[in-house]
Amino acid sequence: NAGVTQTPKFQVLKTGQSMTLQCAQDMNHNSMYWYRQDPGMGLRLIYYSASEGTTDKGEVPNGYNVSRLNKREFSLRLESAAPSQTSVYFCASYEDRNTEAFFGQGTRLTVV
Amino acid sequence: GDSVTQMEGPVTLSEEAFLTINCTYTATGYPSLFWYVQYPGEGLQLLLKATKADDKGSNKGFEATYRKETTSFHLEKGSVQVSDSAVYFCALPYTGGFKTIFGAGTRLFVKA
């Protein structure tokens, strides 16, 4: 049982480049989330999808877009990367909001 | 609105010492409460949870009791090990929607 799989694990981008972070879960969960984690800042919610076909902004959505491709997959896109987007990105899924979150291993992104 | 406050770290302990990490919450109603642990280089994973008042969650020697009267969910362990070195997050589901409120995280260092 793979749980939540994120790709890639590491990435270095130049300012202005674009990229898509991929996330897939095999637990048939309805809700999927993207967080970023910066030193001393804890977790901050970027976007979430409460169910297939819906997406909503979190606390820090600027500079990002998301796509809920199907029930399994939820991607995060950086259209024009900026150094301020250097962070560790985590995808998580939930069966419903009152249950535990399952996290991926994270993507460590550096924008130079 | 809903919120979680946990003690600031880092917390540094010697092996076999007693651990307490304080967590207090503000919420509408009585949501489930969670403790997550993040080991170096990994995503968060559920450590324990409690679904109603006076419930005690426990796992790997860690315990936390859902205290409605004091709106607290403090994490305790009687004898920490070096392998417990990690960041610990207190969390609750946001009662107003499809999000989880995470505390800022408390980093624990355990010395041999």
Side-chain angles (χ1 to χ4, degrees):
Chain A
N1 190 346
V4 178
T5 303
Q6 289 183 235
T7 55
K9 288 187 169 46
F10 301 92
Q11 183 72 47
V12 179
L13 289 179
K14 294 182 179 179
T15 298
Q17 286 185 317
S18 62
M19 79 162 295
T20 300
L21 282 63
Q22 306 287 353
C23 175
Q25 53 93 5
D26 62 2
M27 295 169 284
N28 202 37
H29 287 170
N30 288 314
S31 304
M32 297 184 73
Y33 294 70
W34 277 105
Y35 296 91
R36 59 178 289 173
Q37 185 177 35
D38 302 298
M41 297 289 289
L43 288 169
R44 291 187 290 172
L45 181 63
I46 305 171
Y47 270 94
Y48 67 101
S49 171
S51 61
E52 187 178 357
T54 69
T55 60
D56 286 284
K57 295 178 181 179
E59 305 168 68
V60 289
N62 291 346
Y64 306 95
N65 285 301
V66 290
S67 295
R68 184 74 183 265
L69 304 168
N70 48 53
K71 193 169 186 180
R72 290 186 65 247
E73 298 172 287
F74 188 41
S75 62
L76 178 72
R77 183 161 178 83
L78 287 70
E79 291 291 351
S80 178
S84 60
Q85 294 178 305
T86 293
S87 188
V88 182
Y89 291 85
F90 289 101
C91 177
S93 73
Y94 299 67
E95 182 176 356
D96 68 58
R97 67 182 189 88
N98 289 312
T99 60
E100 68 183 275
F102 290 82
F103 282 80
Q105 291 290 296
T107 295
R108 283 148 183 80
L109 175 67
T110 302
V111 183
V112 297
Chain B
D2 295 0
S3 66
V4 172
T5 303
Q6 60 181 105
M7 63 187 288
E8 289 187 21
V11 175
T12 302
L13 296 173
S14 297
E15 211 166 20
E16 300 184 3
F18 186 85
L19 169 71
T20 299
I21 300 177
N22 291 336
C23 172
T24 57
Y25 66 91
T26 304
T28 304
Y30 304 106
S32 299
L33 299 173
F34 302 87
W35 275 102
Y36 290 86
V37 58
Q38 183 180 30
Y39 299 105
E42 298 184 10
L44 281 70
Q45 57 186 274
L46 180 70
L47 178 60
L48 55 83
K49 66 180 180 183
T51 58
K52 60 184 187 296
D54 299 325
D55 262 5
K56 178 185 284 188
S58 61
N59 186 26
K60 299 182 181 180
F62 290 89
E63 294 183 338
T65 301
Y66 191 155
R67 302 280 189 203
K68 182 177 63 175
E69 318 77 39
T70 54
T71 62
S72 64
F73 192 53
H74 304 322
L75 183 68
E76 297 182 333
K77 187 174 185 182
S79 177
V80 293
Q81 306 300 312
V82 172
S83 57
D84 295 326
S85 298
V87 182
Y88 294 83
F89 292 89
C90 186
L92 64 86
Y94 174 52
T95 53
F98 292 89
K99 294 184 283 189
T100 294
I101 308 296
F102 287 92
T106 302
R107 184 174 296 277
L108 170 67
F109 293 105
V110 181
K111 301 180 297 184

